[in-house]
Amino acid sequence: MLENLKPERVFHYFEELTKIPRESGNEQAVSDYLYSVGKSFGYETIQDESNNIVIRKPAHKDYIDHEPVVIQGHMDMVAEKADGVCHDFLKDPIPVIVDGEWVKTKGTTLGADDGIAVAMGLAILEDKDAKHPALELLVTTDEERTMAGARAVKKELLNGRKLLNIDAEEEGILLSGCSGGHNVMGTLKVKFEENDKKNTFVLSVNNMLGGHSGMEIHQQRGNSLKFTLRALDMVREIADYRLVSLEGGTKHNAIPRDAKVVFTSDAEEFNIDFSKLISEYPLDKDMRVSIEKIENEKEVLCKGCQEKLENVIRNIPHGVYSMMEEYPSIVECSDNFAMIKFDGDIIRFTLSLRSSNPKTFEEYTNIVKKVYEENSVEYTLEDYYKPWEFAKVSKLRDTALEVYKNLTGKEMKVEVVHAALEPAVFVDTFPDMEMISIGPTMKDVHSPVERLNIPSTQRTFEFVKTLLENL
């Protein structure tokens, strides 16, 4: 499908990756594939205990005395699909579609985040004539969940102390810092009691836009968990109800798109027109809300448990807390109220909190803790990573900016991003390493409308190759 696109070898390897299921935590097959490709090139190839891959390519003969360079990306992807789409991320390939200047797929995430970095790296390693210092292609696992792969990289695994992370999502922007973060996990132990209502209904919220919980948190995209309470308020105007369950969201780093509420009531039906409520979410214009009667449930949440659950949903923060003073257009601190899951008599909450400022990070974490504590929710803080701080001096960054200007005639913008990038983990292991993050233009990553811009991919690949020639 992608064989006629340029750069040809980049899209060849990208399409090969789409054939291999590689949701976070399911990377064995793709790791083995990368290992076999590295070996087929005739290069030293390492597969570590976390399934990270390092492929070492010797320097071009004119660059023998230059310092080695690391090209880095991650092999896993976020697995999200639109409501009604039949796709098994454990075994089904991602079908690619070319639509004008974009590579897309059919109702699932595409995996351009971060398959395109891997494809570019392999294409450069394959090119015997490419001019560059010695290269180390580092491809990590589990970036989208916990950055476990990056955390497992040992100092002796890499010789290079200049790293090109190809995990940014907009051409012409160089990232030189990112926020830190952690997940605030909550558990609420609940009790059930006999249902005294005549009927049971399921309220479904589907096909909200969703998206990346860092990069797009400021865009006022709707949160399906928050939306459920507003929909239930309209239910309550007709008749009282009791909750059986309320669930939604699939990933800590994806804004929740879908939710399902099971409730009981003495009403015979709920013919509610949600169109006015939906109109208050202009970015989520394709969302659907419905109520259907189902077989009557025997048990409902106890009244106190229902009240605590609804309080958490109503009062837990979601969205932007503060903007950066140095970069007023960039979010400093935010959180994504990501998931609610029922697990027997336990309700589990997942909230992903990010900040580039330790002060606001602590403030916002305490706000979340208070909501949990007021509603008897026990909590833990998990998967902490500290910010990748902006380096005031960086020869690597200066060279990249100069190369981009010479290549395109345009100034490359330098930004600090409100999202998790693996350099935030690498700063501990490699404190002397210079790092930048770049990438081609992608849209709506972590959502079923994810797409990759073809001309931007070609320009970014030429930029990466030219930058390597200048290092």
Side-chain angles (χ1 to χ4, degrees):
M1 176 61 71
L2 306 183
E3 60 269 13
N4 296 321
L5 301 184
K6 295 185 182 304
E8 183 178 322
R9 297 307 291 171
V10 171
F11 281 108
H12 164 77
Y13 283 115
F14 180 71
E15 188 165 12
E16 289 301 301
L17 290 170
T18 65
K19 299 174 184 177
I20 307 171
R22 53 192 174 91
E23 180 180 6
S24 303
N26 182 42
E27 299 110 330
Q28 186 66 58
V30 68
S31 179
D32 291 346
Y33 165 76
L34 295 174
Y35 182 83
S36 67
V37 172
K39 285 293 189 180
S40 73
F41 291 157
Y43 300 144
E44 179 186 4
T45 304
I46 300 168
Q47 185 179 48
D48 72 8
E49 294 178 354
S50 296
N51 277 326
N52 295 318
I53 294 292
V54 174
I55 306 174
R56 294 195 174 106
K57 181 183 180 183
H60 182 274
K61 61 182 177 63
D62 296 335
Y63 290 75
I64 299 296
D65 59 344
H66 292 223
E67 295 180 15
V69 177
V70 181
I71 301 173
Q72 190 267 323
H74 60 89
M75 66 183 77
D76 62 315
M77 63 175 283
V78 168
E80 283 280 300
K81 59 184 178 181
D83 181 52
V85 171
C86 183
H87 186 93
D88 186 343
F89 282 103
L90 292 177
K91 64 181 182 180
D92 294 341
I94 304 290
V96 289
I97 301 168
V98 177
D99 183 3
E101 294 188 343
W102 299 91
V103 175
K104 303 178 178 180
T105 186
K106 299 177 180 179
T108 72
T109 37
L110 175 64
D113 175 15
D114 192 26
I116 198 59
V118 183
M120 286 187 182
L122 293 176
I124 291 170
L125 295 188
E126 180 187 63
D127 185 355
K128 302 293 185 181
D129 298 322
K131 296 181 178 181
H132 51 67
L135 296 180
E136 296 171 309
L137 175 62
L138 169 63
V139 189
T140 51
T141 55
D142 209 22
E143 189 270 354
E144 298 291 4
R145 294 192 309 180
T146 65
M147 297 202 197
R151 297 176 196 273
V153 172
K154 295 180 172 59
K155 191 169 185 176
E156 57 269 20
L157 192 63
L158 298 177
N159 299 314
R161 289 300 180 266
K162 291 183 173 65
L163 183 142
L164 310 182
N165 168 270
I166 308 178
D167 197 13
E169 298 166 13
E170 188 171 352
E171 180 191 356
I173 293 179
L174 181 150
L175 303 179
S176 193
C178 74
S179 63
H182 60 195
N183 294 331
V184 189
M185 313 296 291
T187 56
L188 174 63
K189 188 171 180 59
V190 296
K191 295 179 181 180
F192 292 86
E193 59 190 31
E194 184 178 353
N195 174 30
D196 62 356
K197 303 292 185 183
K198 293 189 298 183
N199 299 302
T200 300
F201 302 86
V202 58
L203 165 66
S204 299
V205 180
N206 298 110
N207 214 40
M208 297 184 83
L209 184 56
H212 192 295
S213 65
M215 301 295 287
E216 289 147 350
I217 197 70
H218 62 292
Q219 295 179 3
Q220 305 301 316
R221 300 184 179 199
N223 179 311
S224 60
L225 302 176
K226 291 286 191 177
F227 185 91
T228 58
L229 279 198
R230 301 195 65 189
L232 285 171
D233 285 342
M234 298 179 70
V235 168
R236 187 181 284 111
E237 291 176 1
I238 297 174
D240 188 29
Y241 67 84
R242 296 291 301 276
L243 288 180
V244 178
S245 64
L246 191 160
E247 297 186 296
T250 58
K251 302 288 188 301
H252 76 90
N253 53 4
I255 300 169
R257 306 173 59 252
D258 305 312
K260 184 174 75 172
V261 184
V262 179
F263 66 94
T264 67
S265 175
D266 286 329
E268 291 298 325
E269 60 182 8
F270 289 93
N271 294 318
I272 300 175
D273 182 3
F274 291 105
S275 58
K276 185 176 180 181
L277 180 58
I278 293 173
S279 70
E280 297 179 25
Y281 297 78
L283 295 177
D284 300 277
K285 59 183 183 298
D286 295 327
M287 70 181 294
R288 298 187 302 274
V289 185
S290 63
I291 298 179
E292 297 179 1
K293 184 183 289 188
I294 60 175
E295 184 178 347
N296 205 23
E297 292 281 350
K298 296 180 179 180
E299 292 185 323
V300 296
L301 284 175
C302 74
K303 290 184 177 180
C305 299
Q306 175 174 325
E307 181 179 353
K308 290 174 181 177
L309 172 59
E310 292 182 337
N311 285 342
V312 170
I313 299 172
R314 182 174 292 108
N315 297 323
I316 209 80
H318 172 85
V320 175
Y321 181 63
S322 60
M323 307 296 286
M324 293 185 67
E325 290 185 9
E326 303 91 339
Y327 303 94
S329 63
I330 298 175
V331 177
E332 177 184 79
C333 183
S334 78
D335 81 305
N336 176 44
F337 185 25
M339 288 188 282
I340 299 177
K341 299 293 181 186
F342 273 58
D343 183 9
D345 61 351
I346 298 291
I347 302 176
R348 302 188 185 279
F349 304 95
T350 299
L351 184 141
S352 175
L353 194 150
R354 309 171 190 261
S355 182
S356 53
N357 183 329
K359 182 175 181 294
T360 54
F361 188 71
E362 183 178 5
E363 286 177 357
Y364 214 26
T365 299
N366 287 337
I367 290 172
V368 174
K369 287 180 180 179
K370 184 178 180 181
V371 175
Y372 281 157
E373 289 167 355
E374 289 174 344
N375 293 283
S376 307
V377 177
E378 297 183 359
Y379 57 83
T380 58
L381 308 178
E382 299 182 0
D383 300 325
Y384 170 76
Y385 56 97
K386 67 183 183 182
W388 168 29
E389 295 184 10
F390 181 85
K392 293 182 179 179
V393 177
S394 171
K395 291 183 179 179
L396 173 60
R397 183 176 65 223
D398 293 343
T399 303
L401 296 177
E402 181 180 358
V403 167
Y404 189 84
K405 177 69 179 293
N406 293 337
L407 195 63
T408 68
K410 301 176 182 178
E411 299 286 348
M412 194 175 211
K413 294 171 64 178
V414 178
E415 292 187 359
V416 174
V417 69
H418 186 67
L421 291 172
E422 287 167 297
V425 174
F426 295 142
V427 291
D428 280 337
T429 311
F430 308 99
D432 57 340
M433 184 177 278
E434 288 187 81
M435 298 179 283
I436 61 172
S437 181
I438 54 177
T441 296
M442 293 178 263
K443 298 292 185 182
D444 295 309
V445 302
H446 297 190
S447 84
V449 290
E450 178 186 353
R451 54 205 184 275
L452 170 68
N453 187 265
I454 299 165
S456 177
T457 299
Q458 183 168 16
R459 291 190 296 266
T460 301
F461 186 57
E462 290 303 317
F463 168 58
V464 171
K465 290 195 298 180
T466 306
L467 175 57
L468 291 174
E469 290 179 11
N470 283 269
L471 291 178

